[in-house]
Amino acid sequence: MSKVITYRIITFLFIAFSISGCLPDPLPVNDVPVAQKTVVVGSQNLPDQFLVVSLTENFGALDAGPDSDLEEILNDVLITGIDVNVEVNNEEYPLNNNGFGLYIGNDVPEITGATYTLNFISPFNQLPVTASTQLPEFIGFDSLNVYVNETPFDTLISVDMRIQDPPQKNWYMINVQTFNEDFDIQERPYVELLEDSEFNGTTYNHQFVTPFQDYVTGDTVLVSMANITEEYYNFLEIRKDNRFSLLDGLGEPVNYPSNVENGIGFFHVHQSDIRLFILVE
């Protein structure tokens, strides 16, 4: 798969994760004020990239419905063609714009404990947009197994993992996502969150089943884990609890935590342990 197609898929994931499966039928309303344009910041790891930042604009609850075309929405909300930088240890690194609203840090170093500061000028009001976060230490899987879990209604997978948790406080994000030749951009990745209050400094076994998914034999399943900051963990926990709420990300409600000044969303960096599995009978 070419990098252009891959980046297009990743961009779709940023949008689809936020709006797919949670858009209600439109309601007749009048005289609703237009939402002020605001930058929405997201960030992600790719298998070959430490840092990828997505920049989109917010939109109102009346701007999309169950019959909305995701590609049309994507083209409308992407923010492209601006200068975006990340500062680490007093060195500034420009991010490369791939044309799909993603800004990629090809040469941004991975320095555990360092502060990473994102900065650019908002195209809407010309105010500086900034966000800072720290890079937690890398913690990988001690062991990981994925099993097919068939039910009378669908085929799920069970994840059986073990962590060797360090003594300090840690927060974990585990992502489960399928990648097929016929990739369905509306399929939401499953996110499992763990904090180590009950197993701090010990070897911990954890099992979970991915809900709301339907797998088939031959699916390639990507399972990744990252040690993340407490602030980002809290953001993900609220977003997960509200995963059926309208516009969970692009049109984030004001009570969502955010570390972005003059914008919304969340900027974070982490180091992922990524494993691939092919499902067999």
Side-chain angles (χ1 to χ4, degrees), residues 11-273:
T11 309
F12 268 124
L13 275 175
F14 277 115
I15 308 299
F17 183 81
S18 300
I19 67 176
S20 64
C22 59
L23 293 176
D25 292 333
L27 298 175
V29 292
N30 296 303
D31 301 323
V32 177
V34 177
Q36 184 177 0
K37 293 297 185 182
T38 304
V39 175
V40 183
V41 175
S43 49
Q44 187 58 271
N45 285 105
L46 298 181
D48 61 345
Q49 298 289 349
F50 162 59
L51 176 61
V52 179
V53 173
S54 71
L55 297 182
T56 56
E57 66 180 61
N58 64 320
F59 59 92
L62 303 180
D63 295 337
D67 298 323
S68 296
D69 187 309
L70 282 179
E71 184 161 5
E72 183 178 343
I73 294 174
L74 174 67
N75 292 330
D76 288 342
V77 302
L78 295 181
I79 297 175
T80 61
I82 65 174
D83 295 328
V84 180
N85 299 284
V86 168
E87 182 180 314
V88 188
N89 285 353
N90 298 318
E91 293 287 337
E92 197 161 71
Y93 299 87
L95 303 187
N96 297 320
N97 178 13
N98 79 334
F100 299 123
L102 300 182
Y103 294 79
I104 302 166
N106 292 318
D107 58 352
V108 178
E110 301 178 40
I111 305 174
T112 299
T115 297
Y116 290 70
T117 300
L118 178 75
N119 60 82
F120 58 92
I121 300 299
S122 169
F124 305 122
N125 54 24
Q126 302 307 305
L127 292 175
V129 179
T130 62
S132 294
T133 189
Q134 287 188 316
L135 178 63
E137 71 168 301
F138 173 81
I139 301 174
F141 294 108
D142 194 50
S143 68
L144 175 67
N145 290 291
V146 173
Y147 307 96
V148 174
N149 187 349
E150 293 189 4
T151 75
F153 307 102
D154 48 24
T155 301
L156 309 177
I157 60 172
S158 295
V159 177
D160 188 347
M161 53 177 283
R162 185 171 66 230
I163 305 172
Q164 183 60 55
D165 182 65
Q168 72 273 14
K169 183 67 180 176
N170 294 291
W171 295 265
Y172 298 99
M173 171 184 67
I174 302 97
N175 291 327
V176 181
Q177 175 66 49
T178 55
F179 288 89
N180 296 325
E181 183 177 354
D182 298 322
F183 190 83
D184 178 8
I185 63 170
Q186 297 191 46
E187 180 179 338
R188 296 164 61 98
Y190 175 72
V191 180
E192 180 84 353
L193 298 173
L194 289 175
E195 55 89 14
D196 65 358
S197 59
E198 296 183 359
F199 56 89
N200 187 30
T202 66
T203 300
Y204 178 67
N205 292 291
H206 182 67
Q207 299 84 32
F208 63 91
V209 175
T210 57
F212 314 119
Q213 304 283 357
D214 190 10
Y215 299 94
V216 297
T217 300
D219 278 351
T220 299
V221 177
L222 182 151
V223 183
S224 65
M225 181 181 74
N227 182 27
I228 60 177
T229 64
E230 180 181 10
E231 292 76 17
Y232 186 53
Y233 178 93
N234 292 336
F235 170 82
L236 291 175
E237 191 170 46
I238 293 174
R239 191 172 69 176
K240 186 175 181 180
D241 289 343
N242 291 275
R243 61 189 178 274
F244 299 117
S245 298
L246 182 63
L247 305 178
D248 158 46
L250 296 179
E252 294 182 351
V254 294
N255 60 336
Y256 268 61
S258 175
N259 64 348
V260 181
E261 183 177 349
N262 293 323
I264 56 177
F266 210 97
F267 172 64
H268 65 98
V269 291
H270 59 262
Q271 302 171 93
S272 295
D273 186 359

